[in-house]
Every structure is written in structure tokens, then in C-alpha cells.
């Protein structure tokens, strides 16, 4: 039961590895970027999940002395990390478009073949 | 010093990051270059002033918005960051001042403002990593500098830069994400992001397993970014197909800044907290360093494109820095950090000279460079001086750091002998690959191919020679980098008995 209780970490690990697999194994540059986004999203979940306190609410001071708050800081951090992730994906997609313009393909092996010629 | 003086750590980042969006608006020809060069020079001056403050009165701290340290954001410049700030801002300034002609030739006029904006963002990001004192700001600045350098590398006319930069983007992002996982695990256990606070609070952590995992994630992630063998595969192509001036800037500093973060974490944060961390660090990284030195030099010996050759030599040089660090002794770390500075001098000069060659020669393959020494003797002279520094000939900067590295290795006693052999063999290989270039450039028959009426601007030659003379100056009077790296090593290893 101990292992199942930590299910959110399992989600993190499985998502991380799924993304990583796509980055490593797929030859299509677009699919690689999808994998990369998954990979980053997994880490966002790691941060979000660690900030949750059982029974905790949003950290807004209500006057109640026994109120339990979740930690807001990781969410703020992840907001920044999401922005970074979006910029990376956007730049990556931009590069894929340029590659398509120059090489006429977005398959890694075909591009290598063209360069070797 | 006026009131502005105490804000220098913040200004180091603020100046380039504020000028960057303004540069985009500067349409008239040459203005964007002038503005970014001015910002870069200003950043260099700030770095020099900060170095003087660090040398005079020890580390310079700065609280953003005056919020006290573990809660607010702290900036901190100590000996190690000061040394690297000099390298980063210096490399950017030298490449910008001397590089206008080369950049004009490679980047179309209407795209130049964007290119220079990316340049300044890279500069701001790299400086930001060095002044930041907390783990998450380091991550953000790391990504700013990485995203900007992807743009710089892809900005040139060579289409092969695009697949290389895509590979760099994928690997760089994986590295940064690994780092983020590591920081997350530490935050989970300690509840802090400030490096100094983190170091203290790990003492109180009961179960150190997550911290150990964090150390693994952070070390591997940063090793990817720092191109430590065998995680260097993105580096040679990215450096080869980038615009020549971007190569000169990035080759001199970008991997070294990641190395800085690696040293900061492994020695400053983990060393005192994880049992046997020094031993693990040495056992895992020393073989990689040695392999990197040998493989990088060996590949460079057989490489035909001069930029790729120098890029593989960079892989070997990163190996020297890691070898120094993996000795986990004051002497070793001093040598490794000193080599960061000296290698930046040598490699920066070499790539500046290569940028000049590229404007006159038909291409950058070795056979296309035949007779280049007779066509541009001054630039080639500077190239040879920097080449000698790369090999480690006495009287040049490269000799000083290799000497200190050998001294540090000898401290190991008989076990150090094979490592000395590795350093010597690799230096001989460096002789071979530099000699191959010299041979082609001086003695091969010149084929007058195409029009080579373009003359390299005198400014470019002056800047290249200034950089070459710096190699000799710091070879004869290494006091400044030596003091800084000695202080840095002492500070990093203060936990060691």
C-alpha cells in the first residue's frame, strides 16, 4: 500500500519516462518536441504535488487560527518554469519550420542523409 | 564610489537585459551593433570593478529590494563568480568590438538587431547565473542564456546549423530539466532555494536519500550543459556551424558557466552534507575527464574542418578542468578553475583568428586554408600564439594552468603518474593538431582560388592581437587569475578537513 500511496510520484516518473522515450526514440523532430514537452510537464507535476498539504487550502489569510495552507511557492516557481517551457517549445517549433524550409523534411535520418551528400 | 556602486551585482545583469529589447528597435545600420557593444563594454567595466571589490574586501552580497536573505532574492559575487564574470563579459566585448565586419558578412542587415538582442540576452543570462545565489534564479538565467544561444547559433548562413541547434536545444533542455528535478527534490527536503541556506538546512535532514538523488540529477544535468565527455555530442556541430563571432563568444564561456554551477553545487552544497561525496565525485568524474581529454584530442588530430577541430579540442580542455576538480584538493581545484580562465583566453583568440580566416579563405576545411599565413600574416601570428597557449608552451597562459594541474596530480603520489602521462600525451596531441594547421597555412602551395580582395579590418586584427597578448601577459604574470582561483578553491573546499 505504501507504494500506491505515493501514486502522484508514480505519475511523475511514468510521464517523465514517456516523454524521455519519445525524445530519444522518435526520429520525427516534431514528435521529439512533443516528448520534450511531456518531459517538462512531468517536472511541473513534481513541484505541484510536493506543495500540496493534506486538507490544506489556498494560502489566503482568513483569520481562522487553525487554518492549514498549501505551500504557494512551488506553484509560483512552476509558473516561471512553464513560461520557460513554452519559450523552449516555441523556439524548437520555429527551428523545425526553418529545417522544413531548408531541407524539405523533418525526419532526423533523412536530414542526416541530405547533409552527408 | 557613489550610491550606484553598491548595486553593481544587480547592474551586471540589468544593463544587458535592459538594452536587449531596445536594440531590436535600432534599425539604422550599425546602431544595433554600437549599442550592444556599448552595453557589453559597460558590463565588462562592471565585472572589473566587482573583481576589484572581491579582491579588496571579499565576497560582495546584494539583497534584491532589501529583503533579508533566505526570504528575498540574494545576489552574491565571490572569487569564483568574479573570475567567470571577467571571462564572460570579456569574451562578449572582444567578440563584439572586433567582430563587426565578420557579423556584417554573415548576418543580413535586417536581422542584425534581433541577433544582437539575442547576444545581449545570452550575456545577461550567463552573467545572471554567476551573480545569482539561489538555485531557481540560476535555472531561469540558465534557460535565458540557453534560449538566446540557440538563436545565436542558428543565426548564421549555414543551414547545417539548424539540425545541430535542434540537437543542442533537446539536450540542453533535458539537462536543465534534470537540474530542475534535482532542485525540486532539495526544496522538498529543506524548503529553501538559497544556496547558502540550503547547505545549512541539509544538515537537519534526516533521510538523505532524496538529497543523494538530487545530487545525481543536478550533476548529470549540468554535465550535459557543460559538455563533459560523453555528454558532449551537441557541442562540435553547434560550434562548427554557428556564425564565427558567436562561436568565439560561446566557446569562450558558455560551457564554463555550467561547469561553474556544477562546482558550486557539488562542492558548496553537497560536499559537507553527503558522506563520501568527494570520493564519489572523484570516482565518477575522473575517468570521464581522462577519457574526454584523450578522445577529444585524438578526434581533433584527424578532423579536417578547423572549427570542428577546435571544438573537439574544447571537449579535451573541459576534461582538464574536470580532472582538476575531480582531484578534490585545493591545488587541483585551483588548477581546474585557472584553466577555465586560461582556456577561454586561448580558445577565444583562436576562434577570433578563424573568423578572420573565414572572410579571406574559400572555406574552413584545412585544404582550403592553404597559404593563409602568407595572405594574412598578422592574424596568423596571433593564431599561433594562442595555439601555443592551448598546447601549454612556457610563457603562455596555457602553461601556467597545466603546470598547476601537474603539480596537483603529483600530490597523489605514485597514483598520479598515469594522470601526468595523460596530460603530457594530450599536450603532444595538441602539438599535432595545431601543427597540422600551421603546416597547411605556411607551407602548402597556395592556389589562388576566387577573389580574395576583402581585407580584414584593422580593428579586427588589433583585437585579435590584444587577445593573443593577453595569453602571453597572463602566462608571465598570472597573479590575478591565480589569486582568484586560489580563493575560489579555498572557499569551495572549506568543508574538507
Amino acid at each position: 500500500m505504501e507504494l500506491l500511496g505515493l501514486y502522484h510520484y508514480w505519475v511523475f516518473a511514468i510521464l517523465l519516462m514517456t516523454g524521455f522515450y519519445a525524445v530519444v526514440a522518435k526520429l520525427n523532430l516534431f514528435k521529439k518536441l512533443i516528448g520534450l514537452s511531456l518531459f517538462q510537464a512531468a517536472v511541473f507535476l513534481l513541484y505541484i504535488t510536493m506543495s500540496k498539504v493534506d486538507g490544506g487550502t489556498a494560502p489566503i489569510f482568513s483569520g481562522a487560527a487553525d487554518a492549514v495552507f498549501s505551500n504557494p511557492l512551488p506553484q509560483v516557481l512552476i509558473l516561471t518554469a512553464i513560461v520557460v517551457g513554452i519559450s523552449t517549445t516555441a523556439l524548437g517549433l520555429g527551428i523545425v519550420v526553418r529545417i522544413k524550409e531548408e531541407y524539405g523534411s523533418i525526419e532526423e535520418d533523412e536530414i542526416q542523409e541530405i547533409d552527408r551528400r | 564610489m557613489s550610491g550606484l556602486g553598491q548595486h553593481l551585482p544587480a547592474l551586471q545583469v540589468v544593463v544587458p537585459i535592459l538594452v536587449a529589447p531596445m536594440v531590436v528597435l535600432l534599425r539604422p545600420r550599425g546602431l544595433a551593433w554600437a549599442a550592444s557593444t556599448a552595453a557589453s563594454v559597460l558590463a565588462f567595466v562592471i565585472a572589473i570593478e566587482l573583481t576589484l571589490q572581491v579582491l579588496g574586501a571579499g565576497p560582495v552580497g546584494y539583497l534584491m529590494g532589501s529583503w533579508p536573505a533566505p526570504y528575498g532574492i540574494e545576489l552574491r559575487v565571490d572569487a569564483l563568480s568574479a573570475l567567470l564574470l571577467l571571462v564572460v563579459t570579456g569574451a562578449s566585448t572582444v567578440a563584439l568590438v572586433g567582430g563587426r565586419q565578420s557579423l556584417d558578412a554573415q548576418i543580413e542587415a535586417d536581422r542584425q538587431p534581433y541577433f544582437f538582442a539575442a547576444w545581449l540576452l545570452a550575456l545577461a543570462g550567463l552573467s545572471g547565473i554567476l551573480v545569482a545565489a539561489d538555485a531557481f534564479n540560476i535555472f531561469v538565467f540558465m534557460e535565458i542564456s540557453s534560449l538566446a544561444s540557440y538563436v545565436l547559433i542558428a543565426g548564421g548562413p549555414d543551414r547545417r546549423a539548424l539540425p545541430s541547434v535542434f540537437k543542442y536545444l533537446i539536450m540542453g533542455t533535458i539537462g536543465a530539466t534534470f537540474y530542475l528535478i534535482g532542485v525540486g527534490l532539495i526544496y522538498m527536503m529543506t524548503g529553501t532555494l538559497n544556496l547558502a541556506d540550503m547547505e545549512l538546512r541539509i544538515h537537519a535532514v534526516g533521510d538523505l536519500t532524496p538529497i543523494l538523488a538530487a545530487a545525481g540529477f543536478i550533476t548529470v544535468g549540468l554535465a550535459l550543459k557543460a559538455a563533459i565527455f560523453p555528454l558532449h555530442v551537441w557541442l562540435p556541430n553547434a560550434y562548427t556551424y554557428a556564425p564565427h563571432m558567436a562561436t568565439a563568444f560561446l566557446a569562450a564561456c558558455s560551457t564554463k558557466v555550467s561547469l561553474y554551477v556544477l562546482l558550486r553545487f557539488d562542492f558548496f552544497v553537497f560536499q559537507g552534507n553527503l558522506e563520501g561525496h568527494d570520493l564519489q565525485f572523484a570516482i565518477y568524474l575522473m575517468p570521464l575527464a581522462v577519457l574526454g581529454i584523450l578522445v577529444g584530442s585524438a578526434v581533433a588530430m584527424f578532423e579536417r574542418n578547423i572549427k570542428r577541430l577546435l571544438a573537439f579540442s574544447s571537449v579535451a580542455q573541459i576534461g582538464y578542468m574536470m580532472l582538476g576538480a575531480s582531484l578534490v584538493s585545493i591545488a587541483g581545484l585551483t588548477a581546474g578553475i585557472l584553466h577555465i580562465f586560461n582556456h577561454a583566453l586561448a580558445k577565444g583568440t583562436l576562434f577570433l583568428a578563424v573568423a578572420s580566416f573565414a572572410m579571406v579563405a574559400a572555406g574552413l576545411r584545412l585544404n582550403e586554408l592553404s597559404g593563409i599565413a602568407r595572405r594574412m600574416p598578422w592574424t596568423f601570428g596571433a593564431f599561433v600564439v594562442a595555439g601555443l597557449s592551448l598546447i601549454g608552451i612556457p610563457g603562455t597562459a596555457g602553461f601556467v594552468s597545466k603546470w598547476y594541474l601537474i603539480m596537483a596530480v603529483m600530490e597523489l603520489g605514485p597514483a598520479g603518474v598515469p594522470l601526468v602521462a595523460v596530460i603530457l600525451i594530450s599536450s603532444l596531441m595538441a602539438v599535432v593538431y595545431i601543427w597540422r594547421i600551421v603546416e597547411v597555412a605556411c607551407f602548402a602551395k597556395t592556389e589562388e582560388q576566387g577573389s580574395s580582395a576583402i581585407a580584414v579590418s584593422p580593428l579586427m586584427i588589433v583585437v585579435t592581437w590584444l587577445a593573443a597578448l593577453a595569453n602571453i601577459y597572463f602566462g608571465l604574470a598570472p597573479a590575478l587569475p591565480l589569486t582568484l582561483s586560489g580563493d575560489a578553491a579555498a572557499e569551495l573546499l572549506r568543508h574538507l578537513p
Side-chain angles (χ1 to χ4, degrees):
Chain A
M1 280 328 279
E2 179 93 321
L3 283 179
L4 283 177
L6 297 172
Y7 71 93
H8 39 277
Y9 292 115
W10 284 109
V11 173
F12 155 69
I14 291 169
L15 210 53
L16 190 81
M17 282 303 119
T18 314
F20 193 62
Y21 170 78
V23 172
V24 175
K26 294 293 171 190
L27 289 175
N28 186 306
L29 301 184
F30 197 74
K31 289 181 183 166
K32 273 182 189 286
L33 276 180
I34 295 176
L36 198 66
S37 297
L38 262 183
F39 186 73
Q40 291 178 310
V43 182
F44 303 160
L45 286 183
L46 171 73
Y47 272 73
I48 298 299
T49 192
M50 78 169 84
S51 70
K52 177 68 181 159
V53 177
D54 269 346
T57 61
I60 302 165
F61 189 63
S62 59
D66 57 345
V68 179
F69 299 137
S70 287
N71 185 353
L73 187 70
Q75 306 201 3
V76 179
L77 298 181
I78 277 325
L79 214 53
T80 315
I82 288 173
V83 174
V84 169
I86 288 174
S87 337
T88 313
T89 313
L91 184 60
L93 289 174
I95 294 170
V96 171
V97 170
R98 288 279 295 123
I99 289 177
K100 173 78 181 168
E101 282 173 7
E102 295 283 343
Y103 288 86
S105 166
I106 55 166
E107 298 291 330
E108 199 179 28
D109 45 349
E110 289 174 16
I111 293 167
Q112 278 172 353
E113 194 57 40
I114 295 171
D115 263 345
R116 211 171 288 138
R117 258 181 247 150
Chain B
M1 233 27 249
S2 63
L4 210 58
Q6 59 192 357
H7 297 295
L8 286 182
L11 286 174
Q12 183 79 72
V13 185
V14 169
V15 167
I17 220 167
L18 274 188
V19 178
M22 289 186 228
V23 161
V24 178
L25 302 174
L26 297 175
R27 289 290 147 183
R29 204 172 154 73
L31 256 186
W33 171 80
S36 6
T37 310
S40 179
V41 170
L42 189 55
F44 190 38
V45 171
I46 294 174
I48 292 173
E49 175 61 30
L50 275 174
T51 311
L52 292 178
Q53 286 186 15
V54 169
L55 281 174
V60 181
Y62 182 81
L63 302 175
M64 288 303 270
S66 301
W67 293 90
Y71 311 107
I73 291 166
E74 189 191 8
L75 304 182
R76 198 166 183 285
V77 180
D78 58 11
L80 183 56
S81 18
L83 186 76
L84 274 139
L85 278 176
L86 285 181
V87 170
V88 169
T89 54
S92 157
T93 306
V94 165
L96 279 175
V97 170
R100 178 159 181 213
Q101 198 189 7
S102 170
L103 287 166
D104 274 344
Q106 287 204 294
I107 318 283
E108 298 118 66
D110 59 328
R111 277 175 42 225
Q112 276 193 10
Y114 301 108
F115 185 83
F116 285 119
W119 186 297
L120 286 178
L121 285 176
L123 176 64
L126 293 170
S127 321
I129 298 173
L130 299 170
V131 298
D134 77 284
F136 201 78
N137 274 308
I138 289 178
F139 167 75
V140 173
F141 281 126
M142 200 150 72
E143 284 309 84
I144 291 178
S145 70
S146 300
L147 288 168
S149 21
Y150 306 146
V151 176
L152 289 184
I153 291 170
D158 195 329
R159 74 171 183 178
R160 284 170 297 179
L162 295 168
S164 340
V165 93
F166 189 82
K167 193 187 229 174
Y168 183 16
L169 181 136
I170 296 277
M171 297 190 74
T173 307
I174 290 176
T177 310
F178 267 35
Y179 172 80
L180 195 59
I181 297 173
V183 171
L185 290 173
I186 299 178
Y187 181 78
M188 214 187 308
M189 302 309 286
T190 62
T192 185
L193 291 166
N194 185 299
L195 291 183
D197 197 33
M198 197 181 264
E199 196 268 318
L200 288 175
R201 290 204 192 190
I202 297 179
H203 294 319
V205 171
D207 181 6
L208 281 174
T209 322
I211 306 290
L212 189 64
F217 273 117
I218 289 177
T219 309
V220 173
L222 292 171
L224 244 171
K225 288 228 156 207
I228 291 170
F229 183 89
L231 302 172
H232 67 279
V233 285
W234 57 266
L235 183 141
N237 278 347
Y239 281 9
T240 309
Y241 303 125
H244 307 309
M245 275 305 147
T247 312
F249 172 37
L250 296 175
C253 56
S254 75
T255 55
K256 295 170 183 81
V257 170
S258 304
L259 204 59
Y260 156 91
V261 186
L262 185 98
L263 295 181
R264 178 120 314 198
F265 262 93
D266 272 306
F267 288 101
F268 186 79
V269 178
F270 298 133
Q271 187 68 61
N273 291 312
L274 294 173
E275 206 182 323
H277 181 71
D278 45 349
L279 205 63
Q280 288 174 344
F281 188 78
I283 285 177
Y284 286 117
L285 286 171
M286 195 182 284
L288 294 182
V290 168
L291 276 173
I293 292 174
L294 293 177
V295 173
S297 304
V299 176
M301 284 201 300
F302 296 102
E303 195 48 65
R304 279 198 294 272
N305 179 309
I306 186 171
K307 275 177 98 179
R308 268 181 88 86
L309 185 156
L310 293 175
F312 272 106
S313 140
S314 278
V315 174
Q317 305 291 327
I318 293 164
Y320 286 124
M321 299 162 204
M322 281 317 296
L323 181 62
S326 67
L327 295 171
V328 200
S329 64
I330 297 269
L333 211 51
T334 308
I337 295 168
L338 185 62
H339 199 63
I340 293 182
F341 182 83
N342 290 342
H343 172 247
L345 283 178
K347 205 40 82 56
T349 315
L350 287 171
F351 275 119
L352 280 178
V354 167
S356 300
F357 297 161
M359 296 206 301
V360 175
L364 285 174
R365 293 179 150 272
L366 280 183
N367 52 357
E368 290 164 324
L369 288 171
S370 58
I372 198 81
R374 265 166 276 154
R375 286 155 84 186
M376 32 197 339
W378 283 100
T379 309
F380 196 76
F383 184 89
V384 171
V385 170
L388 294 178
S389 176
L390 194 67
I391 296 167
I393 302 292
T396 59
F399 171 73
V400 181
S401 43
K402 276 196 184 158
W403 177 257
Y404 274 88
L405 190 56
I406 290 179
M407 298 293 277
V409 166
M410 291 299 269
E411 276 183 4
L412 294 178
V417 175
L419 292 176
V420 174
V422 165
I423 296 172
L424 291 182
I425 290 173
S426 158
S427 299
L428 287 177
M429 293 192 204
V431 174
V432 173
Y433 59 70
I434 294 294
W435 174 251
R436 284 178 65 215
I437 302 171
V438 174
E439 187 184 11
V440 169
C442 296
F443 306 117
K445 238 188 277 168
T446 322
E447 303 151 35
E448 287 304 335
Q449 49 207 161
S451 63
S452 57
I454 317 158
V456 176
S457 70
L459 188 63
M460 176 76 185
I461 297 175
V462 169
V463 166
T464 314
W465 260 103
L466 276 180
L469 288 177
N471 275 295
I472 295 177
Y473 175 77
F474 287 112
L476 299 174
L480 170 78
L482 200 55
T483 317
L484 284 173
S485 38
D487 288 357
E491 198 166 336
L492 287 175
L493 283 179
R494 69 202 153 91
H495 297 299
L496 222 62

